[in-house]
């Protein structure tokens, strides 16, 4: 299957390509807004995560636990799944990591001073580590994740809002809210919308 999904803050899911729609939290009451989505390996399901750490599983995505109902120091801002799809990590804006299912804890920035909040997470191909990215482009590597550089300490037109790793885990891309792309390691730069007017920011 080829395609991708977007999730809205109300939990609504929008599919493109030939991947299936498996349900959503759109139109249902939420304690907190949805802040991320992650697909299963076969794209036949997905997890939504809310800022309180609540998890909503659809299709062939299994529920492995969540931080919903547990007091958090800072809100959850993202989710990443393990290579086998048997678990997931939630990351909070203070860099705290919450592991569920077969997702192992490899360390975090929780409790450590940050210049700017963490906004995303991406795992290594074997699930033996992960990278956290902050809104200033700073990268924090844990487990078998290697550091390949970052935008931390450099002037940005707009804040970084997300991260994705290359297939071999030897590089990653950061994306800013204006669509600017920053490539590190073996991540190739193939263009961006940085400097191009957008109707709404990348989130």
């Amino acid at each position: 299957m080829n395609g991708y999904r977007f999730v809205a803050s109300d939990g609504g899911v929008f599919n493109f390509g030939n991947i299936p729609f498996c349900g959503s939290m759109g139109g249902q009451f939420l304690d907190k807004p949805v802040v991320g989505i992650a697909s299963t390996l076969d794209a036949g399901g997905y997890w939504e995560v809310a800022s309180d750490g609540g998890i909503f599983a659809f299709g062939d995505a299994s529920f492995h636990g969540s931080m919903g109902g547990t007091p958090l120091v800072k809100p959850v801002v993202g989710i990443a799944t393990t290579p086998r799809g048997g678990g997931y990590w939630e990351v909070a804006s203070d860099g705290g990591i919450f592991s569920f299912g077969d997702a192992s804890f490899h360390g975090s920035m929780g409790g450590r001073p940050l210049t700017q909040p963490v906004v995303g997470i991406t795992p290594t191909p074997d699930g033996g580590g992960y990278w956290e990215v902050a809104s200033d482009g700073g990268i924090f590597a844990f487990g078998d994740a290697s550091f390949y550089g970052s935008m931390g300490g450099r002037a940005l037109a707009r804040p970084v809002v997300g991260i994705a790793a290359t297939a071999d885990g030897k590089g990653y891309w950061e994306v800013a809210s204006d669509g600017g792309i920053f490539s590190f390691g073996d991540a190739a730069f193939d263009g961006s919308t940085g400097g191009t007017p957008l109707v709404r920011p990348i989130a």
Side-chain angles (χ1 to χ4, degrees):
M1 290 187 286
N2 295 303
Y4 48 87
R5 298 181 173 103
F6 294 144
V7 66
S9 61
D10 67 351
V13 171
F14 307 95
N15 294 341
F16 299 89
N18 66 352
I19 57 176
F21 175 75
C22 304
S24 79
M25 294 302 294
Q28 302 188 53
F29 174 79
L30 297 174
D31 288 327
K32 296 292 182 180
V34 169
V35 294
I37 190 171
S39 291
T40 57
L41 294 179
D42 64 0
Y46 39 84
W47 297 271
E48 296 181 6
V49 64
S51 64
D52 63 355
I55 292 284
F56 311 104
F58 299 94
D60 62 7
S62 298
F63 179 77
H64 300 289
S66 80
M67 293 304 293
T70 303
L72 299 176
V73 176
K74 294 292 183 181
V76 167
V77 293
I79 184 174
T81 60
T82 61
R84 294 189 299 274
Y88 39 78
W89 296 273
E90 297 179 5
V91 64
S93 64
D94 64 351
I97 294 286
F98 311 105
S99 305
F100 300 94
D102 65 0
S104 297
F105 178 76
H106 302 291
S108 80
M109 292 303 292
R112 300 165 68 177
L114 296 174
T115 304
Q116 295 295 328
V118 166
V119 294
I121 182 175
T122 192
T124 58
D126 65 359
Y130 39 75
W131 295 271
E132 297 180 3
V133 65
S135 64
D136 63 354
I139 292 284
F140 310 105
F142 299 94
D144 62 5
S146 296
F147 178 77
Y148 296 107
S150 80
M151 293 303 293
R154 300 167 68 177
L156 297 175
R158 293 290 185 271
V160 167
V161 294
I163 184 173
T166 58
D168 63 5
K170 294 181 180 179
Y172 40 77
W173 298 271
E174 298 178 4
V175 62
S177 64
D178 64 352
I181 294 288
F182 310 105
S183 305
F184 301 94
D186 66 358
F189 178 76
D190 296 309
S192 80
T193 62
T196 302
L198 300 176
V199 177
R200 293 286 188 273
I202 303 293

